[in-house]
Amino acid sequence: MSVKYINAIPTKNAKLVQWVEEWAAICQPEGIYWCDGSKAEYDKMSDVLVASGLATRLNDKKRPNSLLFRSDASDVARVENRTYIASEKQEDAGPTNNWIDPKELKKTMLDLYQGCMKGRTMYVIPFSMGPVGSNIAKIGVELTDSAYVVINMHTMTRVGSKVLEVLGDNGEYVACMHTVGKPLAAGESDNGVWPCAPIEKKYIAHFPETKEIWSFGSGYGGNALLGKKCLALRIASVQAHEEGWLAEHMLILKLTSPEGKVKFVAGAFPSACGKTNLAMLIPTIPGWKVETIGDDIAWMKYGKDGQLYAINPEAGFFGVAPGTSMSSNPNAMHSSEKDTIFTNVALTEDGDVWWEGIGYKAPGKLIDWKGNVWEEGKSEGAAAHANARFTAKAGNCPCIAPEWQDPAGVPISAFLFGGRRPSTVPLVHQSTSWNHGVFMGSIVGSEVTAAALDLKAGTVRRDPFAMLPFCGYNMGDYFQHWINVGSKADQSKLPKIFFVNWFRKTADGKWLWPGFGDNSRVLKWIFERCDGAGKAIETPIGFMPTADAIDRSGLESVTDADMKELLSLDIEGWKNEIASIKEHYAKFGTKLPKALTEELNGLESRLNKA
Ligand code: SAT
Ligand code: MN
């Protein structure tokens, strides 16, 4: 076939070039453009996006080098019900994933892909997840017809020529195919309207055996920026299972004590638990420092010294804007002061952005995320969509740790798990063994408040390891993988495992713990425990801090009585929890590791004796 190349092919990797040309033959774009990841490329694409009406350039004095996009109202978040793990056997997708036979799904999608890029350019994006050349990093190549995706990938991953150098003439990459699924007729243009396909034509498909990602019909976030959840979690979790490492939905932070001692901590939390806020926290206890390595994903491998080392595979933050303010997360606010892509926030009259929970009143009339005039107190609905995002460079974050690009990664001392648990679960407790810690990860969840979820309020929605929508294989096998990772290791070098809960409430609904910067007080105890210090007592649920073990200096709002409640062991609550865990575990059938049944039985019998 004759494909039109807009620029020269920058690689001799024949397999890659052939793959690109095969897809071009199917999608029939106007031309093929190989991305080099340069600033000039970013600027040129931004100009094209502004000229097409899809992007608004923000006031350069207020938000230098920043753009605002408004998506289609049907394309505002990941679409979990259109996301598939198409493994050859259904059992390998497991009870928590949508499954379609891969042959059938490929047939359906190939029909959709025919001519889907007509009137558009096919961009080829070679990218590295992780510092280029790190032995923990992986290379992907995304094909897309969205310039919005290209500039977001520039920020969120490492794009360009260096990646192709590492790939060489026959290196391996994860093949990522994406289209917005909206071909243009001759002479037609988007006319400033976000292109996408209707929901029933959207597919976010993963083929774990062949490590391919096929995405159709959405231009938003994790549906379209395929390096993020699709590659770095769903496909990488399969690779990690096969190769003996960990690909996790975890933040990574660096904690420095007043004496200058350093520990790195990784943590998994379901959505809406303040993961980005924790990753960028400003401690309220004097002398302590938190710096960020990553806010969303961690890839971890054992080093030669037997320690587990983590990298952040990403290069930016794709953060939720609403609720982000100078009081909830000043470091995220500073990260998005320049060089930022905003999606679905509101626009102010002077060309800046605004969202609900930004910490100040809307300044005058706004243009809301749907493109309509909006006035606070007068207009209906929110000005920014609840899942509005900022795409910001990690390098622009004031608290980014100097090690964040170290190809060797950082040694992990502790894992944190947590969820929104108004009752039962104490402020913090520590596992007594690795398997007990895996048990803690497997029961992560948040209490349901929204009636919309069809669940009784007070029910715990389990999200094991915060990986429910992101595990690319059978979650029972995933639990076993965690058990195996621990049993293979030098036990003295394994990270310690903790369960935290910032969300305890009193019986009359008042928060017991201030959270945010004061979470550093809990991090301090965790730091001490990793050093074999930190006062604790062993209880049926694990080690808990003694009443005086959490540093409360300067924290008047938490009384002795509050602290007692935060660190109390609720035997009856935990007995109810056992019943709920049994229900949760039943889903995994024979795939549930014996080790976890033993942990559950052990907990039950300790509670019965208490
Ligand atoms: O849209 S993303 O997958 O990038 C973020 C999220 O929904 O967790
Ligand atoms: Mn996430």
Side-chain angles (χ1 to χ4, degrees):
M1 65 153 258
S2 70
V3 286
K4 192 176 141 220
Y5 278 103
I6 294 169
N7 59 356
I9 304 175
T11 175
K12 292 201 174 65
N13 192 308
K15 194 180 143 205
L16 171 58
V17 174
Q18 193 192 337
W19 175 71
V20 171
E21 294 192 352
E22 278 169 12
W23 274 112
I26 295 166
C27 305
Q28 300 162 38
E30 290 275 283
I32 301 173
Y33 175 86
W34 290 77
C35 298
D36 64 12
S38 65
K39 179 161 183 321
E41 178 175 278
Y42 186 99
D43 291 345
K44 201 172 142 214
M45 294 235 178
S46 301
D47 288 341
V48 169
L49 283 159
V50 171
S52 75
L54 285 170
T56 304
R57 191 170 286 289
L58 296 172
N59 183 337
D60 223 47
K61 296 214 173 59
K62 304 223 155 209
R63 299 274 166 181
N65 192 31
S66 298
L67 300 173
L68 165 66
F69 289 82
R70 290 183 205 105
S71 79
D72 188 86
S74 72
D75 201 26
V76 292
R78 282 184 297 103
V79 281
E80 286 180 18
N81 60 345
R82 305 296 303 169
T83 299
Y84 297 91
I85 301 298
S87 46
E88 275 156 25
K89 288 194 253 151
Q90 181 164 10
E91 187 189 40
D92 290 335
T96 59
N97 284 310
N98 299 315
W99 181 84
I100 301 183
D101 178 89
K103 283 195 208 75
E104 187 190 323
L105 184 55
K106 282 197 168 175
K107 188 171 172 298
T108 307
M109 292 188 73
L110 275 173
D111 282 348
L112 291 169
Y113 279 131
Q114 291 301 323
C116 68
M117 292 189 183
K118 277 190 182 152
R120 299 186 188 277
T121 299
M122 175 191 269
Y123 302 101
V124 185
I125 315 173
F127 63 95
S128 176
M129 296 310 289
V132 180
S134 158
N135 83 319
I136 314 179
K138 295 240 178 240
I139 289 176
V141 182
E142 176 163 352
L143 306 182
T144 181
D145 52 3
S146 162
Y148 169 82
V149 166
V150 175
I151 60 170
N152 273 274
M153 289 290 285
H154 267 233
T155 301
M156 294 306 298
T157 75
R158 286 124 173 128
V159 175
S161 328
K162 269 212 194 122
V163 178
L164 289 176
E165 269 168 43
V166 172
L167 189 61
D169 293 354
N170 42 32
E172 292 292 316
Y173 59 91
V174 177
C176 308
M177 172 60 205
H178 171 255
T179 174
V180 295
K182 174 85 178 64
L184 296 168
E188 188 189 353
S189 78
D190 286 321
N191 250 330
V193 178
W194 175 274
C196 64
I199 183 76
E200 69 279 3
K201 285 194 181 162
K202 287 181 167 69
Y203 286 93
I204 319 298
H206 307 75
F207 302 95
E209 281 87 2
T210 52
K211 315 285 181 290
E212 291 168 284
I213 300 162
W214 288 19
S215 167
F216 186 97
S218 167
Y220 205 88
N223 301 330
L225 314 177
L226 301 186
K228 197 173 179 53
K229 309 294 191 185
C230 296
L231 193 162
L233 288 175
R234 298 197 192 93
I235 293 294
S237 65
V238 173
Q239 293 175 310
H241 183 218
E242 291 169 355
E243 298 165 9
W245 51 283
L246 293 169
E248 299 300 328
H249 190 204
M250 287 183 174
L251 65 87
I252 311 166
L253 63 81
K254 176 184 179 186
L255 188 57
T256 307
S257 74
E259 294 75 38
K261 277 175 85 177
V262 169
K263 296 199 192 299
F264 295 93
V265 175
F269 298 82
S271 58
C273 286
K275 199 159 134 228
T276 302
N277 296 349
L278 181 61
M280 300 180 185
L281 163 153
I282 299 176
T284 51
I285 31 175
W288 287 79
K289 191 157 94 182
V290 166
E291 289 160 286
T292 312
I293 303 281
D295 79 328
D296 198 36
I297 300 175
W299 284 0
M300 292 167 276
K301 279 188 184 164
Y302 287 110
K304 289 201 181 73
D305 60 0
Q307 298 274 347
L308 200 55
Y309 283 82
I311 61 162
N312 170 10
E314 301 191 282
F317 309 119
F318 187 66
V320 177
T324 305
S325 70
M326 285 308 282
S327 64
S328 71
N329 193 339
N331 285 316
M333 293 297 278
H334 292 310
S335 305
S336 54
E337 272 168 359
K338 59 176 183 180
D339 311 327
T340 300
I341 304 164
F342 294 94
T343 312
N344 288 346
V345 301
L347 178 68
T348 65
E349 278 169 321
D350 60 357
D352 199 5
V353 288
W354 187 88
W355 50 77
E356 280 72 18
I358 198 171
Y360 51 86
K361 276 181 132 30
K365 282 188 188 154
L366 307 178
I367 305 294
D368 69 11
W369 71 276
K370 291 176 177 162
N372 300 321
V373 176
W374 188 95
E375 274 185 87
E376 195 155 27
K378 291 193 185 157
S379 303
E380 254 181 56
H385 186 275
N387 191 39
R389 299 274 174 162
F390 58 85
T391 313
K393 294 179 180 183
N396 281 349
C397 178
C399 65
I400 199 76
E403 298 87 341
W404 85 276
Q405 311 231 54
D406 187 341
V410 296
I412 298 297
S413 296
F415 284 125
L416 310 187
F417 296 115
R420 275 184 182 260
R421 300 299 306 266
S423 67
T424 314
V425 180
L427 179 62
V428 57
H429 65 296
Q430 181 187 354
S431 81
T432 54
S433 67
W434 178 264
N435 285 3
H436 182 216
V438 176
F439 169 77
M440 286 176 169
S442 77
I443 64 166
V444 161
S446 284
E447 215 174 86
V448 182
T449 45
L453 281 170
D454 271 6
L455 292 167
K456 211 172 75 200
T459 308
V460 178
R461 183 173 185 263
R462 304 281 167 190
D463 183 357
F465 292 79
M467 282 288 278
L468 195 62
F470 306 121
C471 183
Y473 59 105
N474 190 306
M475 199 149 226
D477 291 332
Y478 168 88
F479 294 156
Q480 185 63 51
H481 178 55
W482 263 84
I483 306 265
N484 297 348
V485 162
S487 58
K488 272 200 320 235
D490 174 343
Q491 299 301 301
S492 70
K493 292 181 175 167
L494 273 175
K496 306 269 188 290
I497 303 180
F498 300 83
F499 203 104
V500 297
N501 178 21
W502 321 130
F503 301 96
R504 275 299 288 269
K505 284 184 172 174
T506 57
D508 53 359
K510 183 186 128 242
W511 295 115
L512 273 166
W513 183 250
F516 299 105
D518 286 311
N519 292 337
S520 58
R521 299 168 189 277
V522 176
L523 292 178
K524 178 183 173 187
W525 182 75
I526 288 168
F527 185 106
E528 292 163 354
R529 292 297 291 166
C530 291
D531 271 346
K535 286 204 271 176
I537 41 163
E538 192 166 350
T539 77
I541 63 166
F543 296 112
M544 284 183 25
T546 54
D548 60 341
I550 305 282
D551 184 344
R552 268 192 296 147
S553 51
L555 182 67
E556 273 88 48
S557 68
V558 179
T559 64
D560 288 349
D562 291 338
M563 206 61 207
K564 206 166 156 228
E565 188 162 353
L566 280 161
L567 298 177
S568 65
L569 175 64
D570 175 1
I571 302 266
E572 281 318 302
W574 276 97
K575 282 184 179 166
N576 293 334
E577 189 77 10
I578 295 275
S580 147
I581 296 168
K582 282 184 179 164
E583 218 174 281
H584 161 59
Y585 272 3
K587 281 199 287 291
F588 303 102
T590 55
K591 286 282 191 184
L592 184 76
K594 272 202 195 69
L596 291 187
T597 310
E598 282 163 18
E599 288 300 328
L600 179 60
N601 293 342
L603 174 62
E604 186 171 24
S605 81
R606 291 191 303 273
L607 288 167
N608 285 336
K609 279 189 227 137

